[in-house]
Amino acid sequence: MAVIGTERRFRNYIGGEWVEPSGGEARPDENPADTREILGLFPRSSESDVDRAVQAAAEAFKTWRRTSGPQRAAILHKAANILEARAQEVGEALTREEGKTIGEGVGEVLRGVQILRFFAGEPLRPFGEVYSATNPETFLWAERVPLGVVGVITPWNFPVAIPLWKLAPCLAYGNTAVFKPAELTPLTAHLITEVFIEAGLPPGVLNLVHGPGSVVGEAIARHPKVNAITFTGSNAVGRHLYQIASERGAKVQLELGGKNPLIVAEDADLNLAVELATSGAFRSTGQKCTATSRAIVVEPVLREFTEKLVERARSLKVGPGIDPSTYMGPLVSEERRQGVLQYIEIGKQEGARLLTGGEPLSGGEYAYGYYVAPTVFAEVEPGMRIAQEEIFGPVVGVIRARSLEEAIEIANGVGYGLSASLVTRDIRKAFDFIRSIEAGVVHVNSETAGAEPHVPFGGMKGSSSYSREQGRAAMEFFTQIKTIYLDMPPA
Ligand SMILES: NC(=O)C1=CN([C@@H]2O[C@H](COP(=O)(O)OP(=O)(O)OC[C@H]3O[C@@H](n4cnc5c(N)ncnc54)[C@H](OP(=O)(O)O)[C@@H]3O)[C@@H](O)[C@H]2O)C=CC1
Ligand SMILES: O=C(O)CCC(=O)C(=O)O
């Protein structure tokens, strides 16, 4: 693979201009499939860069909030068309800097296009309600108005889709944004910003500040002029941000982790169940908050399901995501790889049986990448750490259940509640599951991962802060309600 070099220095985008950060520090953006490839150097910005971006966003808010819905809709539509035309290029950049396969990379960009198109429609839809007032001379209504400046802090695992499902509603409802992408995926953030600029977004409405979360993210969360924070990422950082931002009165939205179960009922189509478990556990190298990390299987089909799953996991082609025949790429970083390997050790020490995988892949085409083999554990007990904690890698644990009721109890016995799936042919079992499962996104006969852009997305329990993203539900977070009493002046 070609070494691109370190000559391409990128900048922040603030107040309608590409600007150098205040300090001179830069960070190389590497390809996790081949670390010899450096995609560019990105700013390690400071608090003063954040302040500059927030001031620009606050200034731009004064006019952006007064643009008409159709004007905002036109810009988002144009952004969708531009992104669609650049889907292959942006998808390739995504694969090169994050590691997922090219099919998933381009697919994610096209998902981003759908998200933009949905939210381009939002400013054209009703955004208020008219009431009858006690005084017949009073005109009384309540309308949704923007919040102001929103801090958008995003992770690396969906570096196009997640920023877009936050930025599109943020801007559609009349807010301005300070966008801080993950340090591991700055190039896709740069490309998204370019798309908005080309679509005609006025200066200051979207500001991009690269840099470490502990400096840039923290400064956004603490800034008194940032009215709201929308965050996706780890529980530890999410809870920390919630504390500091909500303490000063900012609105906060968190989308956090998951420990998502796929339950296999006795009557399930086992080939389907194995395919759903494989895709849910190993696509994107397991780095999805919606990934399947527990397969909870009822006893009569446990053995057959497990054998088939192991066989399927062993058959997967692991390699650089840019090769179209690859099923599973590398982990995003060495730190993440070590984190996953540590959990595999913990699983072994806890007494779970490692059936396949469990080791880093090295040599040959793996020599310069962060690869771990698709890993299946059996004899996982519900209380084990590998059955309770988010691993965020290509690891799935098979858990035995004596009945569907017990399977659902095990599924609910974790601190998370993002997504869950049941494989069954029995409609009664499906409804029992739908009613009793503690998850924000429920699937029957489909995998735990994936989300349509026009419907609410988010988790229960420790997986989110109750609010939902995407679809019309996004309006709840990105707007506030203004109630207006307009009395006719005396004649
Ligand atoms: N729910 C989900 O979709 C995701 C969950 N995770 C979970 O988190 C684990 C660790 O992943 P990681 O990428 O480190 O997740 P983080 O929560 O650390 O990162 C998410 C975003 O928050 C930023 N951030 C980090 N620290 C702070 C801070 N103190 N104040 C404000 N912003 C901050 C990060 O910046 P920076 O770029 O500097 O890291 C990044 O932009 C994963 O293993 C997984 O379990 C991770 C990604 C997505
Ligand atoms: O399953 C999906 O497509 C969305 C997953 C997600 O939001 C995440 O991993 O952060």
Side-chain angles (χ1 to χ4, degrees):
M1 194 169 281
V3 179
I4 289 184
T6 53
E7 65 281 2
R8 194 151 177 227
R9 276 187 95 96
F10 288 79
R11 287 173 289 175
N12 292 326
Y13 185 71
I14 298 177
E17 284 172 25
W18 291 106
V19 292
E20 294 291 343
S22 50
E25 262 190 274
R27 182 183 189 281
D29 182 24
E30 69 175 19
N31 179 345
D34 184 342
T35 54
R36 293 168 301 176
E37 182 179 60
I38 300 298
L39 302 162
L41 286 171
F42 285 83
R44 303 209 89 206
S45 310
S46 65
E47 272 180 37
S48 65
D49 300 305
V50 171
D51 184 57
R52 199 171 157 190
V54 175
Q55 301 299 351
E59 192 55 35
F61 179 62
K62 293 176 191 161
T63 43
W64 182 246
R65 69 183 307 179
R66 300 186 80 117
T67 52
S68 71
Q71 283 172 319
R72 295 196 296 272
I75 291 173
L76 290 176
H77 267 301
K78 204 166 166 196
N81 293 342
I82 295 165
L83 186 62
E84 188 168 43
R86 295 180 68 179
Q88 190 63 32
E89 172 209 347
V90 180
E92 269 186 32
L94 197 169
T95 290
R96 285 189 191 280
E97 77 172 354
E98 198 271 348
K100 66 180 65 175
T101 63
I102 186 69
E104 292 172 296
V106 176
E108 183 177 331
V109 177
L110 294 174
R111 177 178 178 174
V113 172
Q114 283 184 311
I115 291 166
L116 283 166
R117 292 211 167 109
F118 174 82
F119 285 107
E122 273 301 272
L124 309 181
R125 295 185 189 112
F127 57 96
E129 289 171 338
V130 180
Y131 298 85
S132 179
T134 309
N135 178 351
E137 290 299 293
T138 303
F139 191 62
L140 176 56
W141 77 100
E143 64 180 47
R144 294 273 176 177
V145 297
L147 302 170
V149 178
V150 179
V152 175
I153 302 177
T154 57
W156 42 265
N157 65 330
F158 280 89
V160 171
I162 292 178
L164 286 178
W165 81 50
K166 293 179 186 298
L167 287 171
C170 171
L171 305 178
Y173 299 126
N175 303 285
T176 56
V178 177
F179 171 30
K180 184 250 160 309
E183 275 215 295
L184 290 169
T185 51
L187 178 58
T188 36
H190 176 95
L191 296 174
I192 291 171
T193 305
E194 273 185 8
V195 166
F196 279 114
I197 297 168
E198 203 184 326
L201 203 65
V205 174
L206 167 60
N207 304 276
L208 168 68
V209 187
H210 292 288
S214 55
V215 177
V216 174
E218 190 88 17
I220 292 172
R222 290 187 187 278
H223 201 292
K225 285 194 178 169
V226 174
N227 305 91
I229 304 284
T230 175
F231 169 87
T232 299
S234 64
N235 284 46
V237 172
R239 300 281 165 219
H240 168 68
L241 286 182
Y242 193 88
Q243 267 198 336
I244 56 177
S246 61
E247 193 177 41
R248 61 172 184 79
K251 196 172 180 182
V252 185
Q253 175 181 57
L254 306 176
E255 284 304 335
L256 308 169
K259 193 69 196 171
N260 313 295
L262 176 94
I263 299 178
V264 184
E266 192 176 341
D267 63 289
D269 174 332
L270 283 194
N271 290 331
L272 173 67
V274 167
E275 220 32 60
L276 298 179
T278 304
S279 179
F282 303 128
R283 281 288 184 199
S284 289
T285 323
Q287 300 171 118
K288 294 183 189 180
C289 58
T290 48
T292 303
S293 52
R294 296 179 293 158
I296 307 174
V297 187
V298 294
E299 229 156 20
V301 290
L302 178 66
R303 191 184 176 137
E304 190 182 346
F305 170 85
T306 309
E307 282 170 8
K308 282 178 182 244
L309 179 62
V310 169
E311 192 188 340
R312 188 73 182 97
R314 286 191 181 135
S315 76
L316 300 178
K317 184 167 184 305
V318 180
I322 208 74
D323 173 349
S325 67
T326 293
Y327 187 95
M328 192 181 102
L331 288 151
V332 72
S333 66
E334 179 57 18
E335 195 186 340
R336 288 306 317 134
R337 175 159 75 164
Q338 288 310 322
V340 170
L341 292 172
Q342 260 172 30
Y343 268 111
I344 291 171
E345 272 318 301
I346 290 169
K348 288 194 234 169
Q349 281 162 22
E350 285 179 313
R353 196 148 67 88
L354 180 63
L355 296 182
T356 188
E359 74 276 317
L361 298 171
S362 49
E365 65 174 342
Y366 304 127
Y368 297 98
Y370 304 126
Y371 294 96
V372 170
T375 300
V376 179
F377 276 107
E379 295 170 28
V380 174
E381 292 299 326
M384 289 178 177
R385 284 185 64 193
I386 60 162
Q388 291 285 327
E389 298 172 20
E390 185 174 53
I391 299 175
F392 229 62
V395 182
V396 59
V398 181
I399 303 175
R400 178 184 72 115
R402 280 179 296 251
S403 63
L404 184 60
E405 292 66 42
E406 191 185 54
I408 294 174
E409 210 178 297
I410 294 169
N412 286 339
V414 296
Y416 294 107
L418 183 51
S419 69
S421 178
L422 169 69
V423 193
T424 184
R425 292 185 170 99
D426 183 334
I427 193 81
R428 282 189 185 280
K429 285 184 181 154
F431 271 97
D432 271 356
F433 168 71
I434 291 165
R435 289 189 182 123
S436 21
I437 194 71
E438 294 164 2
V441 182
V442 179
H443 294 264
V444 177
N445 297 320
S446 52
E447 71 173 82
T448 57
E452 300 248 2
H454 57 290
V455 297
F457 174 76
M460 294 181 176
K461 303 198 284 191
S463 289
S464 88
S465 56
Y466 294 97
S467 65
R468 291 290 179 265
E469 299 193 276
Q470 304 198 72
R472 287 227 93 190
M475 189 192 272
E476 287 292 329
F477 177 73
F478 287 103
T479 64
Q480 53 193 326
I481 294 175
K482 184 181 271 184
T483 306
I484 303 117
Y485 295 80
L486 180 95
D487 277 34
M488 290 296 162

